[in-house]
């Protein structure tokens, strides 16, 4: 077969080269006037799209966005570009940039909601080919069991009001030193915990975060939220529940510990924001 192809090619070449009499309107230039082929287009995802699954890398082969008004798991909030970075720095940089970009979309800090922020990057092969985009995806999580929520509708503005995505009041299930579940409750109803805010740790790893650091950080956060003095009496007035990020989120750059006011199981009604010392009297004694 190879010999036949080679011989045929030779015959065609000789035939063209041997032509001396050309028809009218033919100049013998086989490329003159042919349009240049279009430039190759790299795959780039679009913002304002939703997706049936959570992914860490995006390729054209698995890109199948769905309408946000229908069931989905992840929502793309923003698309932007990274500088040329080593592989080990790309996820962390994308995570930090996404953290800034999603705030306006949500109407608040994403870390104050039952949300996961997932940066999506091109495949290593696409990066080598010049792709520098990153995608900022948001995912709702269930406070009860931590599972990802298959939701319908956009998350836009979900932290600006009193929607269910915002961390507010809850009834935690506490087993020993561990919180097994958080069941959201309207603050106007009886509950045992209320979200007070976050504090950021400077530890290099989640494993390095100590209980003492969490207590100090949450005490400071709760004192500011409730309007009580941030001094040694905080531990005598309130209890706390602290939720640090998991190891994967910590490595990406989420160092925010979520702090809840907790009165050791006592029932509260209404918000305790700016409750002050008249409402939060000293009633815990440590010996």
């Amino acid at each position: 077969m190879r010999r036949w192809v080679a011989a045929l090619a030779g015959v065609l070449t000789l035939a063209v080269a041997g032509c001396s009499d050309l028809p009218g309107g033919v100049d013998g230039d086989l490329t003159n006037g042919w349009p240049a082929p279009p430039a190759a287009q790299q795959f780039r995802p679009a913002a304002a799209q939703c997706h049936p699954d959570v992914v860490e890398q995006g390729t054209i082969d698995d890109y199948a966005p769905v309408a946000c008004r229908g069931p989905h798991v992840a929502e793309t909030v923003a698309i932007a570009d990274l500088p040329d970075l080593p592989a080990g720095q790309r996820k962390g940089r994308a995570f930090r940039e996404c953290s800034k970009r999603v705030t306006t979309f949500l109407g608040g800090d994403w870390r104050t909601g039952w949300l996961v922020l997932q940066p999506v990057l091109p495949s290593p092969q696409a990066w080598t080919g010049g792709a520098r985009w990153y995608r900022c995806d948001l995912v709702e999580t269930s406070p009860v069991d931590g599972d990802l929520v298959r939701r319908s509708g956009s998350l836009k503005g979900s932290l600006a009001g009193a929607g269910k995505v915002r961390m507010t009041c809850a009834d935690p299930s506490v087993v020993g030193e561990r919180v097994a579940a958080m069941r959201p409750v309207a603050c106007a109803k009886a509950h045992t915990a209320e979200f007070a805010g976050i504090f950021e740790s400077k530890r290099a790893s989640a494993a390095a975060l100590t209980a003492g650091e969490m207590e100090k950080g949450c005490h400071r956060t709760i004192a500011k939220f409730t309007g009580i003095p941030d001094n040694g009496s905080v531990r005598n007035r309130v209890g706390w529940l602290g939720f640090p990020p998991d190891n994967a989120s910590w490595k990406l750059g989420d160092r925010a510990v979520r702090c809840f006011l907790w009165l050791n199981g006592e029932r509260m009604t209404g918000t305790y924001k700016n409750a002050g010392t008249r409402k939060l009297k000293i009633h815990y004694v440590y010996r």
Side-chain angles (χ1 to χ4, degrees), residues 18-265:
C19 289
S20 57
D21 297 325
L22 299 174
V26 178
D27 60 7
D29 188 344
L30 296 180
T31 62
N32 183 35
W34 287 14
Q41 297 292 318
Q42 282 189 334
F43 165 68
R44 183 182 181 88
Q49 299 282 346
C50 290
H51 310 275
D53 297 297
V54 181
V55 298
E56 295 184 3
Q57 290 184 2
T59 67
I60 192 170
D61 293 331
D62 59 20
Y63 187 64
V66 297
C68 291
R69 64 178 177 273
H72 61 273
V73 174
E75 180 175 359
T76 298
V77 173
I79 302 284
D81 293 284
L82 293 172
D84 195 10
L85 295 171
Q89 298 179 18
R90 296 169 197 165
K91 280 187 180 180
R93 177 67 174 270
F95 184 86
R96 292 191 296 273
E97 294 298 325
C98 285
S99 291
K100 301 172 187 175
R101 291 176 179 273
V102 301
T103 297
T104 301
F105 176 85
L106 290 168
D109 188 332
W110 70 271
R111 300 171 299 178
T112 65
W114 300 109
L115 297 167
V116 169
L117 176 62
Q118 177 63 58
V120 181
L121 297 176
S123 67
Q125 295 80 4
W127 185 276
T128 301
R132 295 293 182 268
W133 57 265
Y134 64 91
R135 199 172 98 191
C136 305
D137 284 9
L138 285 169
V139 184
E140 182 183 351
T141 61
S142 168
V144 177
D145 53 20
D147 286 350
L148 304 183
V149 174
R150 187 169 296 276
R151 56 175 286 123
S152 295
S154 174
L155 285 165
K156 186 175 178 63
S158 57
L159 296 184
K164 69 183 184 70
V165 176
R166 280 186 62 208
M167 292 181 178
T168 53
C169 297
D171 267 339
S173 297
V174 181
V175 181
E177 297 294 320
R178 187 176 67 88
V179 178
M182 293 287 283
R183 292 176 175 80
V185 177
C187 290
K189 298 182 179 180
H191 55 274
T192 56
E194 182 175 5
F195 179 65
I198 61 174
F199 79 89
E200 294 189 16
S201 171
K202 298 186 183 300
R203 299 286 185 179
S205 67
L209 182 65
T210 65
E213 181 181 354
M214 288 183 62
E215 181 180 50
K216 182 178 180 181
C218 282
H219 276 171
R220 184 181 301 115
T221 301
I222 291 170
K224 181 178 180 180
F225 175 77
T226 59
I228 62 176
D230 182 13
N231 55 29
S233 71
V234 175
R235 67 196 300 262
N236 302 109
R237 299 179 186 276
V238 300
W240 60 275
L241 300 173
F243 300 88
D246 60 21
N247 289 328
S249 297
W250 197 283
K251 288 179 181 178
L252 285 175
D254 181 10
R255 310 291 168 80
V257 177
R258 286 72 166 170
C259 299
F260 282 76
L261 166 67
W262 186 61
L263 301 181
N264 294 325

Side-chain angles (χ1 to χ4, degrees), residues 1-23:
M1 180 64 73
R2 291 184 181 177
R3 292 178 61 191
W4 171 247
V5 172
L8 179 60
V11 170
L12 290 174
T13 302
L14 290 172
V16 173
C19 289
S20 57
D21 297 325
L22 299 174

